[in-house]
Amino acid sequence: MLSAAVLVGFAVAALAPFATPHLGARAGWVWATLPAALATWFAAQVPQVRSGAPLEQAIPWLPSLGIDLAFRLDGLSLVFALMITVIGTAVVIYAGGYLRGDRQLPRFYLLLLSFMAAMLGVVVADDLISLFVFWELTSLTSYFLIGYEHERTSSRDGALQGLLITGSGGLAMLGGFLLIGRDVGTFRISEMLAEPAALTTSPIYLPALILVALGAFTKSAQFPFHVWLPNAMAAPTPVSAYLHSATMVKAGVYLLARLAPAMGGTAVWFGLLTGVGTATLLAAATLALLQRDAKRLLAYSTLIALGALVVLLGVGGTDGAKAMVVFMVAHALYKAPLFMVAGSIDHEAGSRDVTELRGLGRVMPVTWAVALLAGVSAAGLPPLLGFVAKEVAYETLLPHAWGLAALVAASAVMITIVVLVAWRPFAGRETTAPRSPHEAPPSMWLGPAVLAALGIGFGFAPDVLAQGLLVPATRAILGADASFHLALWHGVNTALILSIVTVAMGVLLTLAWGPLHRFLVARLGGVRFGPAGAYLGFLDGLRHLAAWQTRVLQSDDLQRHLTTIIGFAVALAAGTAFVRGGIAFDLPPVSGTLYEFLILILVVVAALATVTAQTRLRAITSLGVVGFGIALVFIMFSAPDLAVTQFLVETLMVIVVALVLMRLPSTLLRKPSERFVPAFAAPIAVLGGGLLTVLLLSVLSVPLDRTIPAFYDAASYPEAKGRNVVNVILVDFRALDTLGEITVLAVAATGAFALLRRIGAREARDVAYTAPRGSGDDDEAGDGERDA
């Protein structure tokens, strides 16, 4: 059943392109039944998971490599699965209203539901290779989701940037997985976590940790890989709300939490995670002050939260794990509604620029109420769950002054962001907006309202959430038993005092935001610096390199193409032979018959005629003579089947090429003034021929390995049921190789056919165009063309 819960998403997604056009305005509500049903099923597993009995299922996938499609639902997986499905339900409903009438809505639901299924695969996978496969599926589907409005340059650029950064990190992560699997002898995550000390004491621990961390940091947009997340705001708001609140950007956090029992608890782990997380916190808080687009403001607030989560994971221990899961759930419950509120503002008022909007609360009261509920939680104010999460995080970081100071400063910026997104556009007696606003439809405020209400409900009763979900999740992160309780009121303590200081700093920063924002934009706006500048510089360098190599190596001249390819092949093969050695000529003296020498002379003369031919027809005819000469060699050495094949191929090739040449202009094969062939092509061709001769003679000087023909003799009939060994080799033992050859021939034939048809059509048009004017036929032809 666990595998079905993951894979059913892909099956339903495949139906979306066909069914959505028939569902009309109900599409969002209908498709939302999938995540809603999955959320119900996952919620029903809470008692079993809470009792310490995770659900497990394994389907054999690649047994010879020890890889299974294995799934495991423990406390940590359950929290993520519920976030993915609950918020997914709200987002799918919201998308139905936000994208209503969009002609690409079927494609959108295909991608969104596929992404949801891939995310579920990531969080319940119990095999590193399976996890990687689902991980890359999230990268691929998110690429299409971010670039959904592909007509816009910003969408294409944002999607490409996200794919390049997260995809590169995914490859690094795969390298780490392979190192881990080879070292511990299994790819099964639960087996690996059962012996946590085996990995931290291994020599491959440090490189494996760095590679895995690269995958996690790129996915969760940690510094300096954070640049892709704000640019991904070019995606439609439902995508931003889903990917950047509870799913894609938290996949990296999940990976670190999942492997924490086996890789955490070391000084390297602490330094790496807390250092990168703190840098992300501070960079995001600073860059947020340059923004006035509501979605980009929320994007930087997401970076602040992700940095805090990584810092808490780096601190580790029961307090760190507890603070991480509380903070993560609180963030998901307020960030998704805030994103959807920003989208509703844009959808109904025509702008996301917080400086252009005022007084929307008078015409969008429900949306404003949702914004205030979610905003108060995001600001860390009581009695919302965000307040509880911030207090727990402050308490955890009290022994780490630098981390605590960074979180307090970033939390003050969070208050400013909340005021700018959830208060400023709605407050005021007069409504100011680019177009006449009105309240969003229920499909666009119901989901955010439910999520925001959960934030206030769990704020009043946080221990219900803790005992049901957060304690089991903490145990999974620690790989050991743990227990704790949460309460809204902790009394007057250091964390509460820090919260009051944070609010005071946030108020002052909000009051100074206008002048500070203008100052920063004037100094830094449009300047390429930091990781963003490095990324753009990298792309510019890549484009220049591509233009240079295209200009130098890939001109429109076929001779230059072939000369370049053969030249590199000769250089690499000769260089390898020279460096590695092994070239030997231990051939016995060979005596030949008169017929053999006559054939040799025929082949040599035909080859010389080929390379000196001035016309294409003469060249292909001479080349055919070379092929027929080789076929005669096959006959003389008792290989009639090869000879027949060679005869057929040569005959067919000469006929086909001759037919093609009849359709081409009868120009010379090369111009007399052309210096390229004698200067470059001819020497490289001679070198290539000489190298092949040397390699062939060297190979023939090695004694023939008789075990291979003996194997084919012995295995042809018992295993392939064929008595002709050559046929069995071609169609069974080398089946894929033969299929590839057939495919190449089919592609070449298709290309030749297309060229012939194109030439034929062009000639027909030329005939129509050159018809004598005034003869009457030209008028008919002209009418025909216009009718066509």
Side-chain angles (χ1 to χ4, degrees):
M1 186 61 188
L2 188 54
S3 62
V6 175
L7 301 179
V8 70
F10 294 110
V12 175
L15 299 176
F18 308 101
T20 301
H22 303 287
L23 297 175
R26 299 166 297 172
W29 299 96
V30 172
W31 296 126
T33 56
L34 171 66
L38 291 174
T40 304
W41 185 82
F42 281 116
Q45 312 309 314
V46 170
Q48 181 175 343
V49 173
R50 184 184 173 192
S51 68
L55 279 72
E56 296 180 332
Q57 184 180 7
I59 302 173
W61 182 13
L62 299 171
S64 59
L65 299 177
I67 299 173
D68 294 330
L69 194 59
F71 301 105
R72 190 169 189 266
L73 187 70
D74 62 1
L76 182 62
S77 300
L78 183 57
V79 169
F80 272 89
L82 284 172
M83 288 196 305
I84 292 166
T85 51
V86 171
I87 295 179
T89 304
V91 168
V92 171
I93 295 173
Y94 180 88
Y98 187 87
L99 295 173
R100 185 174 183 178
D102 191 316
R103 62 185 178 84
Q104 297 295 337
L105 193 58
R107 178 166 64 91
F108 178 83
Y109 279 122
L110 165 67
L111 295 170
L112 189 68
L113 296 177
S114 299
F115 174 83
M116 183 193 70
M119 272 303 306
L120 284 175
V122 168
V123 300
V124 301
D126 191 30
D127 182 277
L128 289 176
I129 304 302
S130 302
L131 190 152
F132 171 77
V133 171
F134 288 116
W135 182 283
E136 290 304 299
L137 281 176
T138 64
S139 296
L140 190 61
T141 50
S142 66
Y143 167 74
F144 290 111
L145 285 169
I146 295 171
Y148 177 73
E149 297 173 348
H150 53 83
E151 299 87 357
R152 298 167 52 198
T153 303
S154 59
S155 296
R156 297 195 302 271
D157 291 346
L160 179 63
Q161 188 179 41
L163 182 65
L164 286 178
I165 294 178
T166 60
S168 302
L171 292 178
M173 183 187 74
L174 176 62
F177 285 174
L178 295 178
L179 279 178
I180 294 172
R182 181 180 179 184
D183 186 72
V184 301
T186 180
F187 289 106
R188 189 67 66 86
I189 297 174
S190 55
E191 295 176 2
M192 183 195 318
L193 301 184
E195 298 182 11
L199 193 55
T200 54
T201 57
S202 169
I204 60 95
Y205 171 69
L206 183 58
L209 173 61
I210 292 174
L211 291 172
V212 171
L214 278 174
F217 290 164
T218 51
K219 200 76 164 182
S220 288
Q222 296 297 296
F223 183 89
F225 309 110
H226 63 282
V227 293
W228 72 265
L229 196 151
N231 293 332
M233 292 301 109
T237 295
V239 176
S240 304
Y242 198 36
L243 270 63
H244 305 137
S245 64
T247 55
M248 180 174 171
V249 295
K250 287 200 172 85
V253 175
Y254 167 80
L255 179 65
L256 294 173
R258 170 56 66 204
L259 299 180
M263 306 189 80
T266 64
V268 177
W269 172 275
F270 175 82
L272 182 63
L273 267 64
T274 56
V276 172
T278 303
T280 306
L281 269 174
L282 296 177
T286 304
L287 294 172
L289 298 174
L290 278 78
Q291 313 302 321
R292 58 186 187 188
D293 179 290
K295 281 182 66 177
R296 290 184 69 85
L297 281 164
L298 293 174
Y300 281 101
S301 73
T302 298
L303 288 175
I304 293 174
L306 294 172
L309 292 173
V310 172
V311 168
L312 295 171
L313 272 176
V315 170
T318 302
D319 290 339
K322 176 184 72 174
M324 195 283 287
V325 294
V326 177
F327 202 98
M328 180 181 65
V329 174
H331 174 260
L333 291 180
Y334 69 68
K335 185 53 61 67
L338 285 177
F339 265 120
M340 287 187 266
V341 164
S344 296
I345 293 173
D346 186 25
H347 193 268
E348 307 303 333
S351 175
R352 300 197 305 257
D353 190 334
V354 296
T355 63
E356 293 182 349
L357 304 167
R358 297 290 288 175
L360 296 182
R362 300 175 65 84
V363 291
M364 301 176 68
V366 179
T367 302
W368 192 15
V370 174
L372 288 177
L373 272 180
V376 170
S377 184
L381 299 177
L384 278 296
L385 184 61
F387 170 74
V388 179
K390 190 179 64 175
E391 294 279 299
V392 174
Y394 281 175
E395 290 177 356
T396 302
L397 293 179
L398 282 176
H400 310 282
W402 47 270
L404 181 63
L407 184 58
V408 170
S411 298
V413 176
M414 277 290 297
I415 292 176
T416 302
I417 293 174
V418 167
V419 172
L420 292 174
V421 174
W423 178 264
R424 178 170 176 145
F426 297 98
R429 294 185 177 180
E430 295 185 2
T431 302
T432 303
R435 66 169 179 242
S436 179
H438 53 78
E439 183 58 87
S443 59
M444 293 178 62
W445 57 255
L446 181 61
V450 171
L451 295 177
L454 288 175
I456 192 171
F458 288 133
F460 280 111
D463 204 45
V464 174
L465 178 66
Q467 301 311 315
L469 291 175
L470 304 187
V471 170
T474 303
R475 291 172 182 161
I477 296 174
L478 295 173
D481 195 16
S483 63
F484 59 84
H485 293 275
L486 292 178
L488 177 62
W489 178 248
H490 288 270
V492 179
N493 54 19
T494 306
L496 182 62
I497 294 172
L498 287 173
S499 292
I500 296 172
V501 172
T502 302
V503 172
M505 292 171 59
V507 171
L508 293 175
L509 186 61
T510 303
L511 294 175
W513 178 79
L516 181 60
H517 170 74
R518 288 190 290 274
F519 171 78
L520 292 175
V521 170
R523 291 297 183 91
L524 302 176
V527 179
R528 292 169 52 168
F529 66 99
Y535 172 79
L536 294 176
F538 169 75
L539 283 189
D540 289 344
L542 204 59
R543 291 191 187 100
H544 284 107
L545 177 63
W548 173 82
Q549 70 90 21
T550 302
R551 186 174 62 255
V552 174
L553 303 177
Q554 298 184 4
S555 65
D556 294 333
D557 191 339
L558 181 60
Q559 285 184 338
R560 293 176 186 272
H561 281 193
L562 294 177
T563 303
T564 304
I565 293 172
I566 295 174
F568 270 99
V570 169
L572 293 175
T576 304
F578 178 77
V579 173
R580 302 290 296 272
I583 300 296
F585 300 97
D586 188 17
L587 291 171
V590 178
S591 61
T593 63
L594 176 61
Y595 299 111
E596 293 172 3
F597 283 108
L598 289 176
I599 293 174
L600 175 63
I601 293 171
L602 174 66
V603 170
V604 170
V605 171
L608 291 174
T610 302
V611 299
T612 58
Q614 296 297 316
T615 63
R616 294 186 178 90
L617 188 57
R618 179 178 296 178
I620 192 64
T621 305
S622 302
L623 192 61
V625 174
V626 174
F628 287 125
I630 294 175
L632 292 175
V633 174
F634 289 150
I635 291 176
M636 297 181 67
F637 287 88
S638 304
D641 51 344
L642 291 179
V644 170
T645 304
Q646 183 75 18
F647 275 125
L648 293 175
V649 170
E650 292 297 336
T651 304
L652 182 63
M653 181 173 294
V654 170
I655 294 174
V656 170
V657 174
L659 289 174
V660 172
L661 292 180
M662 291 173 63
R663 297 282 184 169
L664 294 177
S666 56
T667 57
L668 293 177
L669 194 57
R670 63 181 69 89
K671 298 178 181 178
S673 59
E674 178 62 69
R675 301 294 183 188
F676 178 77
V677 172
F680 298 99
I684 288 177
V686 172
L687 288 174
L691 177 65
L692 286 178
T693 303
V694 170
L695 293 177
L696 183 60
L697 294 176
S698 178
V699 169
L700 291 176
S701 65
V702 178
L704 184 63
D705 186 356
R706 294 290 179 183
T707 58
I708 296 176
F711 164 78
Y712 286 129
D713 285 341
S716 290
Y717 187 76
E719 296 188 12
K721 308 301 180 187
R723 298 187 184 278
N724 187 315
V725 177
V726 175
N727 289 347
V728 170
I729 291 174
L730 290 175
V731 302
D732 287 288
F733 295 116
R734 286 181 50 205
L736 289 178
D737 191 15
T738 305
L739 179 62
E741 294 171 352
I742 295 172
T743 304
V744 170
L745 283 176
V747 171
T750 305
F753 177 71
L755 284 173
L756 292 174
R757 286 200 61 183
R758 185 181 178 86
I759 293 172
R762 186 187 304 165
E763 289 180 347
R765 287 196 298 272
D766 291 344
V767 170
Y769 176 75
T770 56
R773 293 183 180 278
S775 64
D777 295 340
D778 57 335
D779 297 335
E780 293 177 2
D783 292 341
E785 287 185 346
R786 283 193 292 274
D787 292 342

